[in-house]
Amino acid sequence: MIMLGEELEILRRALETLRREAFLFAVCDTGKWREELMAHLEKELRAQGREVWREEVSPDQFDLDAKLEERRRRSEADSFPVVFVDTRGLEIAGLKGFLFYREREAERALQALRALNFQRERLSRLRLPIVFWLSWETLFFVAHHAADLFAARSGLFYLEKTPSPKYLTMEEKLITQWALEYPSLVYLPPEELERRISFLEELLRQEKEKPRLALFQRELAILYLALGDRHRALNYQEQTVHLYRELTRQNSQAFLPGLAASLNNLGNMLSDLGRLEEALKAAEEALGIYRGLA
């Protein structure tokens, strides 16, 4: 059974609502975990009435634009299927000087990425949301050898499994926990933070369900904090607290932990801005909730 983390939840919600062209990059190593994630998302999307097309890009298959154009011609004009592109064998692109025994394979991988880069305009005209599933190594080479395609991305999502804590040092455990709670702060560069903000604010305008609104607003608060915009971060965090208060009145057992965590974050942000009395009040309320939960 797959536990939905925030990254996967945001990706799922985005794909449910997108009705336009978009290039999304899901970072996840090849193998069983990637297949489980793809199958899980496909099932969720099909339950919402969205069709999912699966394609592959590899050193031996890089005519993605031609394949999708053919499928588009055969599909209904008003349909908006989601495309999953599984990338395989591209993690050695351009490394032939280091892997002399795999020179031909490395050269073909490089050709595949360059071809994919030239296909960007044709792929955009198909008006399809496309998710490229790729490993960390492949992501690096996509950014270098398919730079135009990568620059046109709408989102970057890290869906790697976290190593088992029993094999980690105490410092690594803390870093891992931080990464689980706030992946945007750990992994994303400033330009990606800005893209994620734009993406989430678009989702926020479309969302009606309060639990998801709270999730998106909390993430936006974290993203703005990471960019150094403490006032916007505070505004979104205050909205998050307000929503959790409403939700706890409907179902206290389900949403009290979220309210406590949001109040704690609010207190930290207020303290950072020098509003110490308000920070103390928020922290004390959070502490009271945590005591009750304990």
Side-chain angles (χ1 to χ4, degrees):
M1 179 179 178
I2 292 179
M3 299 299 291
L4 277 177
E6 285 191 15
E7 294 283 286
L8 188 60
E9 172 64 13
I10 292 169
L11 175 58
R12 185 193 67 78
R13 186 68 183 94
L15 293 174
E16 281 184 3
T17 57
L18 276 171
R19 296 293 189 277
R20 59 174 174 78
E21 69 281 358
F23 299 139
L24 309 170
F25 291 84
V27 180
C28 178
D29 281 335
T30 56
K32 183 180 178 181
W33 178 240
R34 181 187 293 186
E35 183 54 40
E36 285 179 0
L37 288 176
M38 292 173 70
H40 178 86
L41 273 184
E42 182 173 350
K43 181 180 178 181
E44 292 281 319
L45 291 168
R46 289 188 184 280
Q48 297 297 321
R50 295 298 297 276
E51 188 178 359
V52 177
W53 295 350
R54 288 218 195 184
E55 295 292 347
E56 181 179 314
V57 171
S58 69
D60 299 315
Q61 298 184 53
F62 46 85
D63 55 343
L64 180 64
D65 56 342
K67 289 180 179 178
L68 291 181
E69 283 177 345
E70 176 60 27
R71 294 188 76 162
R72 200 67 169 122
R73 277 194 294 271
R74 290 188 278 110
S75 66
E76 296 179 11
D78 59 347
S79 67
F80 287 93
V82 173
V83 181
F84 285 177
V85 178
D86 196 1
T87 65
R88 297 176 180 272
L90 304 181
E91 64 278 356
I92 61 168
L95 289 182
K96 60 183 180 179
F98 301 91
L99 300 171
F100 63 90
Y101 58 94
R102 297 176 69 183
E103 269 196 24
R104 185 178 178 280
E105 188 180 342
E107 182 61 32
R108 291 282 293 172
L110 183 58
Q111 290 176 15
L113 286 179
R114 288 173 174 168
L116 195 60
N117 197 48
F118 287 127
Q119 294 171 25
R120 188 194 69 170
E121 290 299 327
R122 293 176 69 180
L123 292 172
S124 294
R125 287 197 293 270
L126 295 173
R127 297 177 60 221
L128 295 170
I130 302 175
V131 184
F132 292 93
W133 296 80
L134 68 178
S135 66
W136 275 101
E137 295 84 359
T138 302
L139 178 67
F140 174 82
F141 289 116
V142 166
H144 282 74
H145 302 302
D148 292 340
L149 177 73
F150 188 64
R153 67 195 181 278
S154 298
L156 184 60
F157 303 86
Y158 296 94
L159 307 177
E160 293 288 11
K161 270 187 174 179
T162 304
S164 173
K166 65 181 179 181
Y167 299 114
L168 304 178
T169 65
M170 182 58 70
E171 182 180 6
E172 288 169 335
K173 287 180 183 178
L174 291 173
I175 292 172
T176 298
Q177 186 61 34
W178 182 252
L180 282 169
E181 293 185 13
Y182 306 117
S184 306
L185 293 181
V186 176
Y187 297 122
L188 303 183
E191 63 271 17
E192 196 59 47
L193 292 172
E194 292 171 357
R195 288 177 187 274
R196 179 68 66 86
I197 285 171
S198 176
F199 193 54
L200 279 173
E201 286 181 338
E202 180 182 342
L203 290 180
L204 197 63
R205 287 190 289 272
Q206 301 175 36
E207 187 56 66
K208 303 299 181 185
E209 297 179 16
K210 288 182 180 179
R212 295 192 193 279
L213 284 170
L215 171 68
F216 295 156
Q217 287 175 344
R218 186 182 72 169
E219 179 72 4
L220 281 164
I222 295 165
L223 288 164
Y224 274 117
L225 188 63
L227 280 177
D229 192 335
R230 294 182 294 176
H231 291 285
R232 284 192 181 180
L234 178 64
N235 180 55
Y236 274 116
Q237 191 60 40
E238 288 175 335
Q239 292 180 54
T240 303
V241 170
H242 176 72
L243 270 176
Y244 272 116
R245 289 194 192 283
E246 290 187 11
L247 289 166
T248 53
R249 285 195 285 270
Q250 300 168 17
N251 187 338
S252 61
Q253 186 175 1
F255 295 108
L256 267 177
L259 176 58
S262 298
L263 283 165
N264 187 61
N265 289 346
L266 178 63
N268 290 334
M269 291 181 188
L270 288 167
S271 177
D272 195 38
L273 289 167
R275 295 163 59 175
L276 301 182
E277 289 187 10
E278 294 169 88
L280 180 60
K281 184 178 179 181
E284 287 177 338
E285 185 178 357
L287 179 60
I289 294 172
Y290 278 130
R291 281 176 174 159
L293 291 170

